[in-house]
Amino acid sequence: MKQNENTKYVKLGITGAAVLAFGFAIMYILNQSKNIAAGIQLVFNILKPFLYGALIAYLLAPICNQMDERFLKWFPKATEKQKKGLKFLSIAIAVICAVTIVVLLILLILPQVWDSTVKIIKILPARLAYCNRMIDQLLKDQPELQTYFNHFSSQVENGLNDVLKANSSMMTTIQGIVNNITVQLIEVLSVFKNMFLGFLIAVYLLASRKLFGAQAKLLLYGIFSNKWAKIIEEEVHYTDKMFNGFFVGKIIDSAIIGLICFAGTTLLGFESAAFISVVIGVTNIIPFFGPFIGAIPCALLLLLGSNPWDALYFLIFIVILQQVDGNIIGPKILGNTTGVSSFWVLFSILLFGGLWGLVGMVIAVPLFGVIYDIIRKLTARGLKRNRHEEMMQEYNEKFHEEPEETETTQKDTFSKKINAKINEYIDKNVNNK
């Protein structure tokens, strides 16, 4: 009896010590949060090339797996040495295609950006004078507003004159501008350096992707029990399928939108049609907010061009194009790959976009789809454990009832075929990783 009491007190003591240790650890983390964040940021900056490489390898892995299957079909009698050569050939083709696309986009964008910048610099004084005349014309019948505007303009003009007269202030301003430009150039060069190293690292990752997959599986089953290892493995496969399906469909959708935008802007005679189309196509990868992010700067570019009315026509064209994409092209290609409603799509974009910026907005929908799936499975298991399966059944019948097949749904097989093909080769890629 005494031994049981001693054991009880020992357990209580261990529990109390563990709680205190956990509390001290939380307090230390909170007190050192800035240093920890700085350390994480330092490690993140050092590992940026590896993160770039991992992302590039993840995007190119489906292409490599597809080409591996094709090569094995074309050369069924290939030896092991020849199979290795074919695998490296598929990696080389995938990387060359990716590099070619990136280089073509850069060569397509840079001349357009340069020409647009030169045109804006040339036409900006005339545009400002025109705006000044328009304001004077509008304020002609409003003497009070005109007096206020003239006073504001004189203050701005006097401030600019003071800056120009004071050599020290002018030199400080020029130095600040030069420093900002230098920082931006260094950041751009750093991105190109990371991209170059990322492609090199991606080659190694693609060549060893099956080895890394096998090592990860050994590590998973070595740390966790069979039950939890299988659950985690299934969820990883589901996550991979979710992200691959979303990004493949979104890239195809954005490429189609970019081509349609290029055709439309060329027919309408807009300036910098190629540059505008690339911006619209790239930003279209971001759900919901992508069209606005791409359309606003393009509209401003057209507004400062030779025909300002093109900006209005362009916005009307983009609204029509996005309606076509949202109601026809997008559903046909993507379908409902994530299983997330429109409300949660908006919620996830705002949440992860606020946390991680544009990157968070891009990955928000598939990431939230994975989180939503985990919560759904945990809820189903909890209801089953508490013997409330009828609640889940009632919920599914009321809110997720499968529609009956009609002639319309039977004819609508295009999206099903595309999604089936996407899911088919993603499943193959998951098994091959």
Side-chain angles (χ1 to χ4, degrees), residues 28 115 236 327 373 377 383 397:
Y28 178 79
D115 293 341
V236 169
N327 296 299
D373 180 71
K377 289 178 179 177
L383 290 171
E397 290 175 355

Side-chain angles (χ1 to χ4, degrees), residues 154-353:
S154 63
Q155 284 184 335
V156 173
E157 186 176 356
N158 292 332
L160 291 174
N161 290 330
D162 292 339
V163 171
L164 293 174
K165 287 178 182 178
N167 291 331
S168 60
S169 300
M170 185 176 178
M171 290 301 297
T172 304
T173 304
I174 293 174
Q175 186 178 3
I177 294 172
V178 171
N179 290 335
N180 288 331
I181 292 174
T182 304
V183 170
Q184 295 297 326
L185 286 175
I186 291 173
E187 289 183 357
V188 171
L189 292 175
S190 176
V191 169
F192 279 108
K193 180 203 75 172
N194 291 332
M195 287 288 291
F196 175 74
L197 293 175
F199 273 105
L200 294 179
I201 294 169
V203 173
Y204 288 100
L205 291 175
L206 289 170
S208 304
R209 62 188 185 276
K210 293 183 179 179
L211 173 63
F212 291 147
Q215 290 175 346
K217 190 171 183 178
L218 289 175
L219 189 64
L220 178 64
Y221 279 86
I223 295 175
F224 298 97
S225 63
N226 289 338
K227 177 185 175 181
W228 283 105
K230 289 179 180 178
I231 293 173
I232 295 172
E233 187 178 8
E234 289 176 1
E235 200 59 41
V236 169
H237 287 173
Y238 178 81
T239 303
D240 184 45
K241 182 178 178 180
M242 176 74 72
F243 275 83
N244 257 312
F246 179 80
F247 284 128
V248 168
K250 203 64 182 172
I251 289 171
I252 295 172
D253 175 51
S254 299
I256 294 172
I257 292 300
L259 292 174
I260 295 174
C261 183
F262 178 72
T265 50
T266 303
L267 291 173
L268 292 172
F270 295 158
E271 298 176 354
S272 305
F275 172 68
I276 290 172
S277 302
V278 171
V279 172
I280 294 298
V282 171
T283 55
N284 192 69
I285 296 176
I286 301 173
F288 196 81
F289 292 107
F292 302 101
I293 295 173
I296 291 173
C298 294
L300 292 175
L301 178 65
L302 292 173
L303 186 63
L304 296 173
S306 57
N307 189 6
W309 285 104
D310 285 347
L312 178 61
Y313 302 145
F314 171 74
L315 291 175
I316 296 172
F317 170 72
I318 288 298
V319 169
I320 297 172
L321 179 61
Q322 292 304 324
Q323 290 298 316
V324 172
D325 179 34
N327 296 299
I328 300 175
I329 300 175
K332 292 292 182 183
I333 295 175
L334 283 168
N336 192 16
T337 54
T338 59
V340 180
S341 65
S342 301
F343 172 80
W344 292 116
V345 168
L346 178 60
F347 174 83
S348 62
I349 293 171
L350 291 175
L351 175 62
F352 295 111

